[in-house]
Amino acid sequence: MQVKTRFRFFIYFSSVIFIGSLGFYSLGHDWSVLESVYMTIITLSPVGTGETQPLTDAGKIWAIIVILFGVTGVAYLFTEFSKELFRLDLYRRNKMLKSVKKLHNHYIICGYGRMGAVIARELHEKSRPIVIIDNNPEKIRKIDEKGYLYIEGDATLEETLTEAGVERAEGIVVVLNTDQDNLFVSMSIRTLNNDVFLVSRCSVNDTASKLRRAGVDKVVNPYVAGGHKMSELLITPQLEDSVTIKSPQHTSIDFGIDEINLSELDQFDGMMIKDCRMREDYELLIVGLINANGDVIVNPGSEQLLNRDQTIMVIGKKENLERLTASI
């Protein structure tokens, strides 16, 4: 609230209290100054305390006048506070828009549900600039608490996408609640920026082809991906992890990553990687080594010496990994 407004408000209520007290003092029967001020205050307040002394008819009429002026003042106060809150909200929005306008090659997250929250956290941990679009006040509060930049608005509107800097973005992920919204927003994004890398969520497989036709680069079905991963880990629990890659022809290629202690592969003890014939015999690649002291070597060279105290990280097709583990 501005200083002038506060001053006017102070003068108004001070005048109401002074004039009201003066009226009660004049109309009451032997009322003290304190009793008159007290009567004015309880008349203005919603406490509902009874009169200090019985009021005459003139006193009751004066009390009604004081109440009317007090209600007017309170209504005026609420109006000013509402204007102040609106100005504060507008100031915060403009400040946020200015921060977003400074971004280039950033990432936009449309929707701050469970998936959007995970994506935002991981991008933030990697120090990637992000802007989140959502129109849920509760979610906006959570986004603001975490210090993320955001646009409070409907992602299905091109105006909202433009405010988020869709033309300058490096990548955009669309994770709204429904496939229809994801499809519509993806189409809108492509009309605004045909080059940005676009990822979208879908809940129904039939929607995936529509999203690809709309120009989405990658489509993720969390239910299919999660179910596939859990079934693979259930079938082959010895694998550390698994991943399925789809070719442009939509054929699936299943890869696995496994950690194997070389104490279980005595034949490799003392060999160089190029002599262990891992690639030739099993079509597998050694992508990492973990020494006994915990040091990790990523992408070790072909002349790296192996020993039984090491653990190797191997990647390849799952059937080939199963052949290797079967030989242990």
Side-chain angles (χ1 to χ4, degrees):
M1 191 179 293
Q2 296 179 354
V3 176
K4 289 183 179 179
T5 303
R6 292 192 194 125
F7 182 72
R8 288 200 300 267
F9 177 75
F10 175 77
I11 293 297
Y12 179 85
F13 269 96
S14 297
S15 301
V16 170
I17 293 172
F18 175 76
I19 296 173
S21 301
L22 184 62
F24 283 120
Y25 183 79
S26 302
L27 297 172
H29 297 289
D30 298 325
W31 281 29
S32 66
V33 173
L34 179 60
E35 287 176 329
S36 301
V37 174
Y38 177 75
M39 187 63 197
T40 303
I41 296 297
I42 65 172
T43 302
L44 292 173
S45 71
V47 175
T49 305
E51 297 88 355
T52 57
Q53 294 187 33
L55 291 172
T56 63
D57 290 342
K60 291 177 181 178
I61 294 173
W62 184 249
I64 293 172
I65 294 173
V66 172
I67 290 173
L68 290 176
F69 276 93
V71 170
T72 303
V74 171
Y76 172 74
L77 174 64
F78 278 127
T79 301
E80 288 300 318
F81 268 123
S82 299
K83 290 180 181 178
E84 188 67 21
L85 289 174
F86 176 77
R87 284 193 290 265
L88 179 62
D89 184 66
L90 186 62
Y91 168 76
R92 293 179 62 186
R93 177 178 173 80
N94 290 336
K95 184 179 179 181
M96 186 68 65
L97 286 175
K98 287 181 181 179
S99 299
V100 173
K101 285 180 180 179
K102 296 177 182 178
L103 295 179
H104 289 81
N105 300 323
H106 58 290
Y107 295 86
I108 299 174
I109 303 170
C110 300
Y112 193 73
R114 285 174 290 184
M115 286 189 68
V118 172
I119 296 167
R121 185 182 68 247
E122 294 199 3
L123 290 175
H124 181 70
E125 289 174 353
K126 293 178 173 62
S127 300
R128 302 298 176 90
I130 61 173
V131 177
I132 303 170
I133 299 175
D134 207 293
N135 59 358
N136 185 302
E138 180 62 24
K139 292 179 181 178
I140 290 296
R141 184 185 64 79
K142 293 179 180 179
I143 295 169
D144 189 49
E145 287 176 354
K146 292 184 179 296
Y148 302 151
L149 292 179
Y150 63 87
I151 298 294
E152 185 174 4
D154 189 350
T156 61
L157 301 178
E158 289 190 2
E159 178 185 352
T160 305
L161 296 171
T162 301
E163 288 180 346
V166 64
E167 300 93 344
R168 309 183 305 274
E170 177 78 14
I172 303 175
V173 59
V174 185
V175 283
L176 299 174
N177 292 329
T178 66
D179 285 1
Q180 291 85 352
D181 285 344
N182 290 330
L183 178 59
F184 183 82
V185 172
S186 297
M187 294 173 65
S188 299
I189 290 170
R190 274 292 172 244
T191 62
L192 297 171
N193 189 338
N194 197 44
D195 299 322
V196 67
F197 190 80
L198 180 58
V199 181
S200 179
R201 165 192 170 174
C202 76
S203 301
V204 181
N205 281 336
D206 292 343
T207 312
S209 58
K210 297 177 183 177
L211 286 166
R212 292 191 184 94
R213 287 198 299 271
V216 176
D217 296 294
K218 296 290 183 181
V219 180
V220 178
N221 186 325
Y223 305 108
V224 173
H228 174 79
K229 189 177 184 69
M230 293 175 72
S231 65
E232 290 296 328
L233 294 175
L234 184 64
I235 294 170
T236 54
Q238 72 277 8
L239 293 184
E240 284 294 317
D241 204 351
S242 63
V243 62
T244 299
I245 299 175
K246 284 196 175 289
S247 69
Q249 292 75 29
H250 307 303
T251 56
S252 297
I253 306 171
D254 288 337
F255 284 95
I257 303 172
D258 202 2
E259 291 183 4
I260 302 174
N261 195 303
L262 287 180
S263 61
E264 300 174 348
L265 294 169
D266 291 334
Q267 66 270 32
F268 295 153
D269 187 26
M271 281 188 179
M272 292 184 181
I273 290 179
K274 65 180 180 180
D275 297 326
C276 71
R277 297 186 60 82
M278 189 76 71
R279 184 198 298 265
E280 293 80 4
D281 295 343
Y282 297 98
E283 298 182 8
L284 299 173
L285 294 176
I286 299 176
V287 295
L289 279 176
I290 305 174
N291 291 318
N293 60 4
D295 291 339
V296 179
I297 302 174
V298 180
N299 192 23
S302 60
E303 296 186 357
Q304 174 68 45
L305 196 64
L306 302 176
N307 64 72
R308 61 182 292 107
D309 295 327
Q310 293 173 325
T311 298
I312 58 174
M313 300 175 66
V314 185
I315 186 171
K317 290 184 178 180
K318 291 178 182 177
E319 57 265 28
N320 294 331
L321 283 168
E322 291 173 1
R323 284 200 299 121
L324 176 63
T325 54
S327 67
I328 297 175

